[in-house]
Amino acid sequence: MVNQYVLNTSSSSLPEELRLLLLLVGETRDSSISTFDITNLNWDLFLDLVNHHRLYPLVYVQLNKLIDSNIPMEVVNALQVKYQQNTFHMLHLCVEMERVIKKLVDNGLRALVLKGPVLSESLYGDLSLRTSKDIDILISIDDLEHVKNQLINLGYVFKSDLPPILNEWKWRWHHIACIHPQKATQIEIHWRLSHDSGNEPKFEELWNRKRVSSLTKTPVFFLGTEDLFLYLVTHGARHGWFRLRWLVDIDRMLLKGVNEDKLVSLLNKYKTKQLAGQALILSSELLRTPLTNKLNQLTNSEHARQIAISAFAFIKDKVILEYSEPSVRYQLSLKTKSQKIKFLISRFHPDSLDMNLLRLPKTLHFLYFPLRPMLWLIRKMKKQQKAVE
């Protein structure tokens, strides 16, 4: 097991309501669940935590297994309502996912589903046990315009267009979103797994290692096991693991099993061992995920330990990062030295915010490079002034 001194997860450090939540979603593999005293719990806080971490399906199912008269019926009923709503939502997403993928396949376009219904079925064996807001698909960047056109034909409306400035969106951005006004279904089209300038597997590599879902009649493909692990730890780390749902995904994936040699090779290739170590420390200490000796080695680096401690603070303090990401300082802390240098250099490249502040004709777009520091300073001053007002 991981050194238990990496995180302070003692009962005195965590609210009792969070401790109960962790025990429940950890598949109650910790025997202390049977002796957990729930008589003085703040059930409103417990429900708030369950909703914040998007874990109401799992918690509802696990609470139903506990025979305890001290669990208020209004708590169980509230979770049952959320569970049923999520089941209908996931069924809706599954139907729409198949419709969209079929449309793309019929037009000779390839797509990999990243999360959503396929992740729920793959990791939990049940469509209703995981929540998902939208459908995420990964495509080749060469097919982006064709995919957009097919989704428009299906009635989807794109929230924004790609900024026409020096093609920086190809590497600075990683997805674009659209929504179906009548069905209220949102789809994110990804051409990269991550949005920053770090290296990652090419679409062709991921396609060659793909798996097929058993959910639908139309073949729906998703990431291979080790590629999915890489994607999930990268995504979770980027968002500070502020939702425990992402950590439970890691727990379930490890319980189902991964090819450890292939995984470590992939992590080495894309310099993400520290991110995997962060996830494994958090999962092991918070959910009691059992680790093999090989996986445990990933938790031994000081880098992994430090970023695990940082992310633990987001979880413990219930930091909400719904529409933003943790600070640049935290983002930089995730990276290796070479990745930090590349990231900082990329900050000098113009982006769409520069264009919004100062409109230049296309023939003069090259001027955004020398003007970048000044435009950045103006934006910062405006943001500070707005905060004061």
Side-chain angles (χ1 to χ4, degrees):
M1 292 294 291
V2 172
N3 186 329
Q4 296 298 304
Y5 295 101
V6 175
L7 307 175
N8 181 13
T9 59
S10 64
S11 57
S12 61
S13 114
L14 296 177
E16 291 293 288
E17 294 77 11
L18 180 56
R19 287 187 61 226
L20 176 60
L21 174 59
L22 290 168
L23 288 173
L24 288 170
V25 299
E27 287 198 326
T28 62
R29 63 179 65 98
D30 191 320
S31 60
S32 63
I33 186 69
S34 60
T35 59
F36 194 92
D37 184 8
I38 65 173
T39 54
N40 296 315
L41 282 186
N42 181 334
W43 289 105
D44 287 335
L45 174 57
F46 176 76
L47 286 175
D48 184 51
L49 287 170
V50 172
N51 289 327
H52 168 72
H53 291 293
R54 303 294 191 264
L55 289 169
Y56 34 88
L58 280 176
V59 171
Y60 171 68
V61 170
Q62 293 289 21
L63 277 183
N64 268 341
K65 296 178 181 178
L66 299 179
I67 304 175
D68 196 318
S69 59
N70 290 317
I71 302 175
M73 279 308 299
E74 55 266 29
V75 172
V76 178
N77 291 338
L79 290 171
Q80 182 181 31
V81 170
K82 298 285 286 185
Y83 172 82
Q84 291 172 341
Q85 289 174 342
N86 181 66
T87 300
F88 290 131
H89 177 65
M90 293 299 286
L91 287 170
H92 166 73
L93 283 185
C94 189
V95 171
E96 189 63 7
M97 174 187 71
E98 183 173 14
R99 186 174 84 102
V100 168
I101 295 299
K102 186 176 187 306
K103 179 71 170 177
L104 298 181
V105 170
D106 289 347
N107 286 273
L109 297 167
R110 300 175 299 171
L112 293 167
V113 177
L114 293 176
K115 294 183 289 183
V118 297
L119 187 60
S120 181
E121 192 275 336
S122 171
L123 297 186
Y124 300 83
D126 190 327
L127 194 66
S128 65
L129 290 183
R130 188 186 188 275
T131 63
S132 186
K133 181 180 69 174
D134 50 26
I135 301 170
D136 297 81
I137 62 174
L138 179 73
I139 64 168
S140 167
I141 193 170
D142 296 332
D143 294 333
L144 181 56
E145 286 302 319
H146 298 298
V147 171
K148 284 179 61 180
N149 290 336
Q150 295 307 318
L151 288 174
I152 290 171
N153 290 339
L154 287 175
Y156 282 85
V157 176
F158 283 82
K159 296 181 178 181
S160 60
D161 207 351
L162 299 169
I165 173 172
L166 302 172
N167 285 330
E168 56 93 15
W169 59 269
K170 289 185 177 181
W171 55 268
R172 195 189 296 276
W173 291 20
H174 70 300
H175 75 267
I176 188 169
C178 59
I179 189 167
H180 197 289
Q182 287 73 45
K183 298 185 178 185
T185 308
Q186 180 170 300
I187 294 179
E188 289 187 354
I189 306 172
H190 297 244
W191 55 88
R192 289 175 58 84
L193 295 177
S194 181
H195 75 299
D196 65 17
S197 56
N199 292 329
E200 63 179 44
K202 304 298 183 185
F203 179 80
E204 291 298 331
E205 297 177 57
L206 298 172
W207 182 259
N208 290 336
R209 296 193 290 261
K210 67 184 181 300
R211 292 178 286 170
V212 62
S213 173
S214 60
L215 274 176
T216 57
K217 292 181 180 179
T218 300
V220 172
F221 298 109
F222 65 113
L223 295 174
T225 302
E226 291 70 40
D227 292 320
L228 180 60
F229 185 92
L230 174 68
Y231 170 65
L232 292 178
V233 298
T234 304
H235 176 271
R238 188 170 73 247
H239 292 284
W241 299 100
F242 82 95
R243 290 210 197 284
L244 284 170
R245 174 184 62 183
W246 303 322
L247 207 58
V248 176
D249 289 340
I250 298 300
D251 173 72
R252 296 303 192 270
M253 174 168 278
L254 293 177
L255 291 178
K256 289 182 72 70
V258 297
N259 185 314
E260 296 177 8
D261 290 332
K262 288 183 179 179
L263 177 60
V264 172
S265 176
L266 198 67
L267 296 172
N268 281 327
K269 181 176 181 180
Y270 296 105
K271 296 179 173 56
T272 50
K273 288 177 67 175
Q274 74 281 4
L275 304 186
Q278 177 196 46
L280 294 175
I281 290 171
L282 291 168
S283 185
S284 176
E285 295 202 27
L286 294 177
L287 302 175
R288 301 298 181 254
T289 307
L291 301 181
T292 64
N293 289 335
K294 190 155 195 170
L295 292 179
N296 199 35
Q297 291 174 12
L298 295 171
T299 70
N300 291 332
S301 76
E302 184 61 26
H303 193 175
R305 291 165 182 261
Q306 289 303 316
I307 59 179
I309 291 170
S310 297
F312 176 60
F314 296 131
I315 298 170
K316 178 183 173 184
D317 298 333
K318 207 190 82 169
V319 174
I320 299 175
L321 298 163
E322 185 69 53
Y323 302 108
S324 62
E325 294 181 352
S327 66
V328 173
R329 181 177 181 179
Y330 169 78
Q331 296 294 335
L332 281 173
S333 74
L334 299 175
K335 301 179 183 299
T336 63
K337 289 182 180 179
S338 61
Q339 289 170 339
K340 287 178 183 178
I341 293 172
K342 190 173 182 180
F343 175 83
L344 291 172
I345 290 175
S346 73
R347 297 306 93 184
F348 289 96
H349 194 289
D351 62 22
S352 54
L353 295 177
D354 299 322
M355 186 177 223
N356 292 337
L357 189 62
L358 176 64
R359 291 280 175 174
L360 293 175
K362 192 169 184 179
T363 54
L364 297 179
H365 276 187
F366 68 92
L367 291 177
Y368 283 118
F369 282 97
L371 291 172
R372 169 84 168 160
M374 182 187 71
L375 295 175
W376 176 84
L377 182 61
I378 293 173
R379 287 204 309 272
K380 188 173 182 66
M381 291 174 63
K382 284 187 174 184
K383 187 176 181 179
Q384 292 175 341
Q385 183 178 4
K386 189 176 180 179
V388 171
E389 294 173 353

